[in-house]
């Protein structure tokens, strides 16, 4: 059974940093593109960043240069380092594993105060 567990969310002031982690179990990590999505109140869920098995990354324009996605294949964990946070980054952040079918974590709240 695939399970994705996020951690690292919280409250931070604008300009601050947070690092999100997502631990994967159930045999999915080594065969899946991993990624992060977010959903702000009243808005649609949107892609933040993805990383392939080979380490190729892709970012939403709104986070390029501020966020960095990485993966540790030995730990079955994907990270999202978020720097220079803005109030508009406030959202629930979801970890996702894409193997044709999407598997989702439960989400972690990130709140950036101005």
């Amino acid at each position: 059974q695939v399970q994705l567990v996020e951690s690292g969310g919280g409250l931070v002031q604008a300009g601050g940093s947070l690092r999100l982690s997502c631990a994967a179990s159930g045999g999915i990590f080594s065969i899946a593109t991993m990624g992060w999505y977010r959903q702000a109140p009243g808005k649609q869920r949107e892609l933040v960043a993805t990383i392939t098995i080979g380490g190729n990354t892709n970012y939403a324009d709104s986070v390029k240069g501020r966020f960095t996605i990485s993966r540790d294949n030995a730990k079955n964990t994907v990270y999202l380092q978020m720097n220079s946070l803005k109030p508009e980054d406030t959202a629930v952040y979801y970890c996702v594993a894409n193997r044709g079918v999407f598997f989702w974590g439960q989400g972690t709240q990130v709140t950036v105060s101005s």
Side-chain angles (χ1 to χ4, degrees), residues 13-89:
Q13 288 188 332
S17 298
L18 283 174
R19 188 175 82 153
L20 305 183
S21 301
C22 171
S25 60
I28 192 70
F29 192 84
S30 62
I31 59 172
T33 291
M34 301 297 296
W36 292 92
Y37 281 68
R38 68 185 181 187
Q39 188 166 19
K43 295 188 177 181
Q44 289 189 330
R45 193 171 295 189
E46 63 175 1
L47 173 70
V48 176
T50 61
I51 184 166
T52 66
I53 298 167
N56 293 318
T57 59
N58 180 56
Y59 296 93
D61 288 343
S62 59
V63 306
K64 281 181 181 176
R66 300 188 298 121
F67 290 12
T68 302
I69 189 170
S70 61
R71 62 192 292 163
D72 185 333
N73 292 330
K75 295 182 178 180
N76 289 348
T77 301
V78 62
Y79 304 97
L80 185 68
Q81 178 67 44
M82 306 185 293
N83 298 328
S84 301
L85 282 160
K86 305 174 180 180
E88 51 264 43
D89 295 317

